[in-house]
Amino acid sequence: MNTSIFSKLKRIYSFNPAIHTPEAIYIELTGTCNLKCPNCPRTYSTKQRNHMSDEIFRKVIEEIKTYFPSVKELGFHFFGEILLMKNYDRLITFARKEIQNVRFSISTNLSVTNKEQIGKLLLCGFDSIGIWPDSTSEEIYSKIRPGAKYSTLKENIIYLLDERQKLNKEHISIHIGMVLNT
């Protein structure tokens, strides 16, 4: 019996990775988040969410390397906040060594107060960092990002941009996304 994480998907969807290879794969490293955003399904879930174990992560990376050698992008985000993981940089560094010539991206709410965690984003191998404040005002931000402070977010964005320049990592693209909230 094949114990591959992807073997069940292949059976369900008659998926042949030699013929149908995805261009992007997204891996949710953590289901935990420090916010309770009204538009996030995780906010309303009663299920306990945790971080992915190192063992599972390494297995996923090895299987991507084996079954999807032509993948073009790995995204390490979905509904969780990666900056809440103390070891995310070690995992991404491992993945970067194992899977090369692939674009690595991350999305974050960037609302943590630990600047060291923010600085690690620039050192572990990401090509693209997305930040989604979805607001340009404290009033709206506090409604759509309960638990976060708009002033902290602004400080963190400036810190990230300054660190990127100091570390000569300007090849890392930083995206700030907005969705109209009224």
Side-chain angles (χ1 to χ4, degrees):
M1 180 177 186
N2 188 344
T3 59
S4 162
I5 291 170
F6 295 104
S7 63
K8 186 174 181 180
L9 281 175
K10 289 189 299 188
R11 282 193 311 272
I12 292 170
Y13 297 105
S14 300
F15 185 74
N16 182 344
I19 298 169
H20 304 91
T21 300
E23 289 191 14
I25 296 174
Y26 291 87
I27 303 168
E28 178 78 284
L29 290 177
T30 184
T32 63
C33 188
N34 53 329
L35 305 181
K36 298 285 186 194
C37 304
N39 63 334
C40 179
R42 192 201 41 73
T43 297
Y44 306 102
S45 173
T46 57
K47 185 177 178 185
Q48 174 79 21
R49 307 282 179 180
N50 294 307
H51 304 316
M52 182 182 288
S53 72
D54 290 13
E55 177 185 341
I56 297 282
F57 181 78
R58 290 176 191 279
K59 183 171 175 63
V60 168
I61 294 301
E62 290 299 327
E63 289 186 15
I64 290 171
K65 191 166 100 172
T66 301
Y67 294 110
F68 306 109
S70 61
V71 70
K72 294 180 176 143
E73 179 174 357
L74 290 178
F76 297 92
H77 56 272
F78 197 54
F79 290 117
E81 176 51 56
I82 195 171
L83 294 179
L84 298 178
M85 292 182 73
K86 291 185 181 359
N87 68 334
Y88 78 84
D89 58 322
R90 188 169 35 92
L91 296 176
I92 300 304
T93 300
F94 166 79
R96 177 54 79 194
K97 286 178 186 169
E98 293 296 311
I99 302 175
Q100 299 170 8
N101 301 317
V102 172
R103 185 170 172 78
F104 279 28
S105 64
I106 186 64
S107 183
T108 174
N109 62 45
L110 207 66
S111 66
V112 299
T113 56
N114 183 339
K115 299 283 194 255
E116 182 180 325
Q117 282 294 79
I118 296 168
K120 287 194 238 180
L121 285 171
L122 298 166
L123 299 173
C124 62
F126 288 118
D127 299 294
S128 176
I129 300 168
I131 306 158
W132 293 89
D134 292 330
S135 174
T136 57
S137 78
E138 179 71 52
E139 178 186 0
I140 293 174
Y141 185 77
S142 65
K143 290 177 185 174
I144 62 173
R145 298 284 182 255
K149 293 182 179 176
Y150 189 68
S151 59
T152 300
L153 173 69
K154 289 191 323 186
E155 288 172 21
N156 288 345
I157 290 172
I158 291 167
Y159 178 82
L160 183 64
L161 293 170
D162 287 347
E163 285 297 300
R164 182 179 68 162
Q165 186 175 14
K166 277 187 224 171
L167 295 169
N168 198 26
K169 298 282 186 178
E170 291 173 341
H171 62 279
I172 299 173
S173 62
I174 296 176
H175 306 269
I176 299 175
M178 300 283 176
V179 174
L180 179 62
N181 289 281
T182 55

